[in-house]
Amino acid sequence: LILVVRAMRNFSRHLTCAWIGSITALPLGSFIGGLAFGVWGYSSGTVGGFWLNVGLAVTIGVYATLLGIIPTFVYGAPAYALIASRFRPSLLSAISIVVVPGLLLIPLSADLSGAFVIFGILVASILHFIAGPRMRRLDRDAHRNSFKPTTGI
């Protein structure tokens, strides 16, 4: 019973850390992805004008952020927290959380699947670099603060 309580406490700390990191990672990754689409549109000449591509980048970033709220907070952050609470989180594990479901979307829509994977990789990478060090500190502190007997004062 003590092990179950300890595992649940450990997971809840990691989940809180992943959700807080996702608050920053989702808009940042979405806007970086939108900026990449804007730069691609400007350099390829697909969309004319610099400011039109800036508007395209912002629009895509906002759209990707709004579409990514539910998958990030319901699936991505809890999956990353579960991996981090049981194993050491890595960039590869963060990216695989996104790529596997993205590939499963291919039969529904290849365009949607590609956008999901591209933006998801950006968000997962940023989340790993934001929340990963904090989660490693949580693990280190949890080992230090175990159920050892304390000395009286």
Side-chain angles (χ1 to χ4, degrees), residues 3 13 17 30 34 39-40 48 58-59 67 75 77-78 81 90 98-99 106 110 115 123 127 130 139 148-149 151:
L3 293 176
R13 288 179 184 151
C17 186
S30 296
V39 168
W40 173 76
V58 171
T59 303
L67 283 178
Y75 168 72
S90 68
V98 175
V99 171
I106 289 176
V123 172
L127 174 63
I130 289 173
D139 290 337
K148 297 176 188 171
T151 59

Side-chain angles (χ1 to χ4, degrees), residues 30-94:
S30 296
F31 281 107
I32 289 173
L35 184 64
F37 274 103
V39 168
W40 173 76
Y42 184 70
S43 65
S44 67
T46 308
V47 180
F50 175 77
W51 291 109
L52 193 58
N53 283 294
V54 170
L56 175 69
V58 171
T59 303
I60 290 175
V62 169
Y63 188 68
T65 300
L66 293 176
L67 283 178
I69 288 173
I70 292 175
T72 298
F73 288 97
V74 172
Y75 168 72
Y80 185 71
L82 182 65
I83 289 173
S85 68
R86 305 303 292 163
F87 309 103
R88 184 171 184 206
S90 68
L91 184 59
L92 182 63
S93 64

Side-chain angles (χ1 to χ4, degrees), residues 93-149:
S93 64
I95 290 173
S96 66
I97 290 170
V98 175
V99 171
V100 172
L103 294 176
L104 294 176
L105 287 175
I106 289 176
L108 297 175
S109 170
D111 295 335
L112 180 65
S113 174
F116 184 84
V117 168
I118 290 169
F119 283 95
I121 287 174
L122 289 170
V123 172
S125 301
I126 293 170
L127 174 63
H128 175 71
F129 290 119
I130 289 173
R134 173 72 179 138
M135 289 184 180
R136 285 190 289 277
R137 265 195 310 273
L138 284 174
D139 290 337
R140 191 175 55 237
D141 293 343
H143 292 298
R144 219 179 287 148
N145 298 328
S146 62
F147 293 104
K148 297 176 188 171

